[in-house]
Structure formats: C-alpha cells, structure tokens
Amino acid sequence: MVRVHQRRHRSCHIKVGTRWPVYLLAVLTMVLFVMILSTQALAAKNDKGGKAKIVVVSPPDGAFITEKTVFLAGHIKGAKTDKVAITGVATKVAKGIVPVTDGTFGTLITFKKGQNIITVSGAGAKKQIKVYYAPKESVKKGAKPPKGFKRFYVHAKAGELSCKECHRKRRGKYNFTRLVPARSNCTTGKCHSTMGKAAHVHGPVGAGVCISCHNPHGSFEPLQLERTGQDLCLVCHEGKRKDLEANVVHPPVEEGCVDCHDPHQSPMRFQLRGDGKMVASLCFNCHEKEMFSRKHQHGPVGTGDCIACHYPHSSANEKLLIAPPDKGQLCFECHENVREQLTRKNTHEPVEEDCSTCHDPHSSDTRYQLVAPPKDLCASCHRDVSPEIYEAIDTAKYKHEPVSKGECTKCHMPHGSDVSSLLKGKGIKLCGTCHEDLGDEIAESKNLHGPVKTGSCNECHNIHGSEFSRLLVRYFPEEFYTEYQPQKYDLCFGCHNKDVAKKKNTTKLTNFRDGSYNLHFFHVNRKKGRSCIACHNPHASSQAKHIRYEVPFGRWSYPIEFTSTKTGGGCVVGCHAPKKYDRNKPVEKHGK
C-alpha cells in the first residue's frame, strides 16, 4: 500500500512540473497585451492634444527681423500628426497647411511690416509667437526694435532647410541636442565662392562645416553666430581657456579672438589678420607703426617677429612679455653674452633693474636702440649721480675727445666690468687702445713712471676734461723753452720735491749735481729754461730716471744717451757737447 501511494504522488508531481512553463508564458502574454493596449490608448489620447507640444525653433518669439522672407522650422513633442496649420503670415503652401515628417515641419514665410502674430496649430496643440519685421533700410536710418523685441539675424537669402542635413535620428526620433558635421554649399555657391581659397583656412571652412560657428536657423548674435566673443572659439579651442586666467590678458583676447584672427581664411598662419609676411603686420593694425620704424631696430622687430618677446594671448608678466624684464631676464633669453658681464665685480645699475632704462626694446634713431644719444643718455642719470664730473666737463677748456663726441663707451663698459667705474681696462691697457704709439712705447720700456706703473693715468690727467692742456690735472707749460717759475711745474711738484731747482748749490735737494752744483737749477733757471719733459719722458723709458731717447725740437728730434754711474753720470745729446757730472769729484768748475 505504501509503495502504491508513493507512485501516485510522484506521478502527480511530474505533471505539475511539466505544465508550469506553459502557465507562465500565458501570464506574460496577457501582461504584454495589456501594455500594448495601454500604449495605444495613450497615443490616442495624445493625438487628441492631451500632452502635445509645438516647438518653433526659428524664428523665436520676440524676434526683430529685417529679412522679409525666412524659413520657419519647428517640431512636435508628445504627439503624432501629419500636418500643422500656420496662420498670421503668408506661406508657400496652400492654406498654410504644412506637412509633418518624423515630427518636424518647416516652410518659407513672408512677413508684413510691423508686428506679425504667427500661430502654429496641430495635434490639438497650439503655439503663438510674435515677430516684428522692419526692412534693412529703415534700420540703417536708425530704426530700433520695439519694446519686447530683440534683433534676430537670419540669412539674407532664405531657402528650404531639411532637419536630416544637420540632425540624426535616435530611436526613431531626431536628436536636436547634437549637430552632425554636415557640409554646406556656402563656399561652392555664388555668394561665398572666395572662401577657402587663401593659403591658411580655418578648419571648419576647409571642411565646409559652416554650422560649427553659424546657426542656419538664425541667431540673436550678428552673422548668425552660435555664441559671442571668446565662447565661440573656446568651444573647440578649449586648451586656450587657461590663457584667460593669466595676470595679463591681451585686450583683443578679452574682447574676442577675431580682432587678430580671421575666422575664415588668411594669407598668414593661424589665420592672422596680417599681410602674410610678418607677424608685425598684424600688430600694426592697433599699435603705432612709428615706434617700430626708426633707424635702428631690434632684431625681432626688424623681422616682424613680435612674439619673440611677447606672448600673443596672455602672460604672467607685464606687457605680455615672455619673461620678467627685471634684471635682464627677458633680454637674456637671447643676449646670453651680456649675462656673463653681470657676473663681473662692477655692474651698471640700470642693467640690474631693467634694460629698457637705456635701450628702446623696439626701435630708436640711435645705434643699439639707445633711448637717446649716448652723451645725453649718460648725462640723464650721471649728471645727478656724479655732479663733480659734469661740472668739470661743462667748464673744461680741453675735453677728452670721446667726451666731446659723446662716446662714453670708448672707455666705459655699459653693462659690467672687473675694473672700477666700469672701465674697459686699467691704465695703459685702456688708454693704449686709442693712444697706440704711447702704448707701444710703454710696453717696450723698462722703467715706468709711478702712475703709469700702477695704472693711475688719472694721477696726472683729468680723464673727462680739464682747464689745462693735455687734460692735465695741474698746470704744466706747453712750451719747450720757458722762464722758470715754480708754479709752472705745479703738476710735477704735486709729487716731486718742489725745491729741486730752488738753489744753485746743494748737497741734499738733488743727486743731479756736479759736486754741489745743482744741474736741475742750471737747466731750468734761465730765460730759455728747459721744461721737465725736455729730458724726462713722463710715461716711461728704458734709460734711468726716465730720460727720454730723443728731444723733440720743432720738426727735428735730437737723441739723448744717458749713462748712470754710482756717483754721477754722463749725457750725449744733440743740443750740446757730451757732458759728465760727479757728485764727489766735480768734472767742471762752476761759479758760486
């Protein structure tokens, strides 16, 4: 009995498990059927206008338009219908009945002057817009949009538009949130036929995708632009957005890129609004050309390469400079040789501050783009810094030739030097660059005058100017023969014993004596007394006591051969017979 019961139970269980999928399929079928009926009912309800909505894309409500005929475009949401009716304006279709395809509709409409109230109805829905039309001529004469209306720009020659040219369907419906890169016939027709023919063409123009920037339906922005100013360009050129965050932004960038870039084409790279040869031709559209056109031009200015020093969009530095101007940082981007001069012991103060203190960064009528001729430029600061020097220059009877010519850099380094006062060299190394014969003479001599030896030419010479000839710091006679007066040798007596020729006989004042007879006194104390330089070279000589090799006399020169001994010496010279002297044993008899 137990076994039989078990068999029955198993048999029943098998039958139920076999029929369950059939039951489930039936239930799902019924649910699906109900959903279909509900959808159809909802669609029927929408067809009656329950949730239908008409959207007019163009022209928008409140538009002020100067074109008499435009293309009205729109679409229907939430309902299906095959037509809409347009009233309030003239249309190209009979009785204003416009067919609806895939939920979209459009037709050419013609306005009357003044306000036009347009009504679009269909699928139980209605949309009303107001458009004000005034001819272009009236706008040119000053006509303005009435209150509540805004200027709306549309294409001058209205034509039929098709949604499928710029929009794609998604799940059976047009996706109006995105545009496809549809080619237009703008550059191939008769209107814009020259577009795209220049050497450098904007990408969208070259591809014929004008709708990247222009709205084919129209826009509240001139030229039917999708956006204004920077926003138009930054949609694509996103990487340039960071330029707007810099400390200094080029005004045209703040206002909009098209001041510098032609949005369509140009003979220059990047569609710059220049002549195709130099970047400067673009800059001259705003900046005064005169400041770049003087006689001496900075290299980048001469080649029109303004961006060698300036960023075109923005910069962290003043005047859009690529580097700070302080301490020559900007200039050292190219002038590396000058950077080395700043490592020297002495540096010109303006160089440490800003090179433009002395140099015009663009152009100048003075060489090296100096802001003024060297003479005036140096004086503009140093007249205040070193008034004693300029007083000497202004009052000097004799001026150093470089000073007279305003050639300060003949002697001074303009940027930096290892020698004080920014001199190019010390002593004869500097002076010998011009006074070459003197430099050779000193270089060949064994015995140098003390100031020459120490490189202190200014011990005897005022290097800028002097009231005395030969730029001497004190008076010294110009004549070869001159009656002796101590004050005439004020220059020499500034260092040497002023009493050397005071006494006829001495054993202390000088070693140039025959016994006690003072031979200095003998040479100078007479009506035709000889000056010091008759015998002594004031700079250098290979003979003892700086005795010169020859005595200048008019157009002639007489040789001097001096011999020195422990107690005296001898002289063979063209102006008298050979002479000798001895301090211990006088060679000649001299009166008292």
Side-chain angles (χ1 to χ4, degrees):
M1 291 294 290
V2 174
R3 293 175 181 173
V4 173
H5 176 74
Q6 290 174 343
R7 289 193 193 99
R8 290 179 178 176
H9 180 73
R10 187 180 298 114
S11 174
C12 181
H13 178 73
I14 292 171
K15 290 179 180 180
V16 173
T18 302
R19 295 175 181 176
W20 174 249
V22 178
Y23 297 149
L24 180 60
L25 181 61
V27 171
L28 292 175
T29 301
M30 291 178 67
V31 171
L32 181 61
F33 181 70
V34 171
M35 289 176 67
I36 293 173
L37 291 177
S38 298
T39 302
Q40 291 177 346
L42 181 62
K45 185 177 180 180
N46 288 339
D47 285 341
K48 294 178 181 180
K51 291 186 179 181
K53 181 179 179 181
I54 295 176
V55 177
V56 176
V57 176
S58 178
D61 188 32
F64 175 77
I65 295 177
T66 59
E67 296 296 333
K68 188 172 185 177
T69 300
V70 302
F71 186 79
L72 185 147
H75 58 91
I76 297 179
K77 291 182 177 180
K80 291 183 177 180
T81 184
D82 59 358
K83 59 187 177 182
V84 295
I86 298 177
T87 59
V89 290
T91 64
K92 295 294 183 180
V93 293
K95 299 181 180 181
I97 304 301
V98 181
V100 176
T101 304
D102 296 323
T104 66
F105 60 87
T107 186
L108 291 170
I109 60 173
T110 302
F111 301 114
K112 64 179 185 297
K113 288 184 179 181
Q115 180 174 278
N116 294 260
I117 300 176
I118 307 169
T119 302
V120 181
S121 57
K126 183 183 292 185
K127 176 68 176 180
Q128 191 175 80
I129 61 172
K130 296 179 180 180
V131 176
Y132 195 95
Y133 164 68
K136 288 182 179 179
E137 292 73 19
S138 62
V139 175
K140 292 179 180 180
K141 294 179 180 179
K144 297 182 179 180
K147 186 176 181 179
F149 292 89
K150 184 179 179 181
R151 181 72 185 271
F152 187 76
Y153 300 85
V154 295
H155 201 276
K157 295 181 180 180
E160 298 282 348
L161 300 176
S162 174
C163 299
K164 65 181 179 181
E165 291 181 8
C166 304
H167 303 285
R168 292 287 182 266
K169 290 183 179 180
R170 186 179 179 85
R171 297 178 182 176
K173 297 180 180 180
Y174 279 110
N175 180 9
F176 294 114
T177 62
R178 295 190 64 182
L179 296 175
V180 296
R183 287 187 63 86
S184 65
N185 63 352
C186 302
T187 60
T188 57
K190 295 181 180 180
C191 296
H192 308 290
S193 58
T194 59
M195 288 292 182
K197 303 297 192 298
H200 299 274
V201 179
H202 194 196
V205 176
V209 188
C210 303
I211 61 173
S212 295
C213 301
H214 302 276
N215 192 320
H217 296 295
S219 170
F220 284 111
E221 304 300 334
L223 305 175
Q224 301 166 245
L225 292 174
E226 287 278 9
R227 299 168 184 82
T228 59
Q230 305 161 344
D231 294 335
L232 177 66
C233 303
L234 293 177
V235 168
C236 295
H237 302 280
E238 181 67 26
K240 296 297 180 182
R241 189 177 295 276
K242 64 180 181 181
D243 289 348
L244 304 180
E245 301 170 359
N247 292 339
V248 181
V249 180
H250 201 187
V253 175
E254 291 181 326
E255 297 166 3
C257 309
V258 294
D259 281 349
C260 296
H261 299 274
D262 190 301
H264 301 108
Q265 61 183 11
S266 167
M268 296 190 72
R269 193 182 179 194
F270 306 120
Q271 294 99 249
L272 295 176
R273 291 184 181 274
D275 59 11
K277 297 178 181 179
M278 301 187 300
V279 173
S281 63
L282 163 68
C283 304
F284 293 156
N285 291 336
C286 295
H287 299 280
E288 290 290 339
K289 189 173 183 179
E290 181 183 354
M291 66 183 294
F292 307 95
S293 307
R294 300 184 184 99
K295 184 177 180 180
H296 300 275
Q297 299 175 352
H298 192 194
V301 174
T303 59
D305 191 14
C306 303
I307 56 176
C309 298
H310 301 275
Y311 282 121
H313 299 118
S314 64
S315 172
N317 307 302
E318 60 179 285
K319 300 178 181 177
L320 300 173
L321 294 173
I322 63 174
D326 304 342
K327 297 182 179 181
Q329 295 178 71
L330 170 66
C331 302
F332 293 157
E333 293 286 324
C334 295
H335 302 280
E336 186 68 29
N337 61 314
V338 180
R339 186 197 296 273
E340 180 275 328
Q341 296 179 30
L342 296 190
T343 63
R344 298 171 183 173
K345 293 179 181 179
N346 305 289
T347 306
H348 199 188
E349 191 172 324
V351 180
E352 294 182 335
E353 296 172 357
D354 187 348
C355 301
S356 63
T357 303
C358 298
H359 300 276
D360 189 302
H362 299 110
S363 69
S364 168
D365 289 326
T366 307
R367 193 181 180 193
Y368 304 119
Q369 296 112 250
L370 295 176
V371 297
K375 183 178 181 180
D376 299 330
L377 176 61
C378 298
S380 64
C381 290
H382 291 281
R383 188 170 286 278
D384 294 329
V385 174
S386 308
E388 69 285 353
I389 291 178
Y390 275 87
E391 183 179 359
I393 293 174
D394 294 339
T395 60
K397 182 178 179 181
Y398 303 93
K399 295 181 181 180
H400 198 187
E401 186 175 335
V403 175
S404 299
K405 293 183 177 180
E407 298 174 338
C408 302
T409 55
K410 282 282 188 177
C411 301
H412 298 276
M413 293 289 289
H415 302 112
S417 172
D418 287 325
V419 182
S420 61
S421 302
L422 297 176
L423 291 173
K424 288 185 173 182
K426 191 174 182 180
I428 194 58
K429 289 184 178 179
L430 170 62
C431 301
T433 56
C434 291
H435 305 281
E436 295 178 353
D437 291 342
L438 177 59
D440 292 341
E441 181 181 350
I442 292 173
E444 297 168 357
S445 299
K446 296 179 181 179
N447 304 309
L448 307 183
H449 191 193
V452 175
K453 189 174 184 179
T454 59
S456 304
C457 300
N458 57 332
E459 290 289 335
C460 298
H461 300 279
N462 190 321
I463 54 179
H464 293 102
S466 174
E467 61 178 302
F468 306 115
S469 65
R470 290 160 287 187
L471 303 178
L472 295 173
V473 297
R474 291 189 176 98
Y475 180 79
F476 189 88
E478 296 185 46
E479 304 84 9
F480 184 83
Y481 294 116
T482 182
E483 185 177 0
Y484 177 72
Q485 293 175 0
Q487 62 268 27
K488 289 185 177 181
Y489 300 98
D490 191 32
L491 174 69
C492 301
F493 291 157
C495 296
H496 298 284
N497 183 2
K498 65 179 180 179
D499 296 329
V500 67
K502 186 175 183 180
K503 296 180 179 181
K504 185 176 181 180
N505 292 283
T506 181
T507 57
K508 296 180 179 179
L509 295 179
T510 179
N511 284 331
F512 185 41
R513 53 190 169 83
D514 192 32
S516 63
Y517 187 70
N518 187 344
L519 295 177
H520 275 120
F521 180 92
F522 169 75
H523 278 83
V524 301
N525 271 284
R526 54 177 65 187
K527 193 170 184 179
K528 289 183 63 176
R530 276 65 168 175
S531 69
C532 301
I533 61 172
C535 298
H536 299 280
N537 189 313
H539 296 106
S541 173
S542 291
Q543 300 197 84
K545 306 300 181 179
H546 309 306
I547 299 299
R548 60 194 311 153
Y549 298 108
E550 56 188 14
V551 177
F553 191 78
R555 297 174 59 187
W556 304 94
S557 292
Y558 297 105
I560 298 179
E561 183 179 338
F562 175 70
T563 304
S564 178
T565 66
K566 289 182 179 182
T567 58
C571 180
V572 178
V573 63
C575 56
H576 58 68
K579 299 287 186 178
K580 291 184 179 181
Y581 69 95
D582 191 288
R583 290 182 291 275
N584 297 334
K585 297 178 180 181
V587 176
E588 297 185 14
K589 292 181 180 182
H590 305 282
K592 292 184 179 181

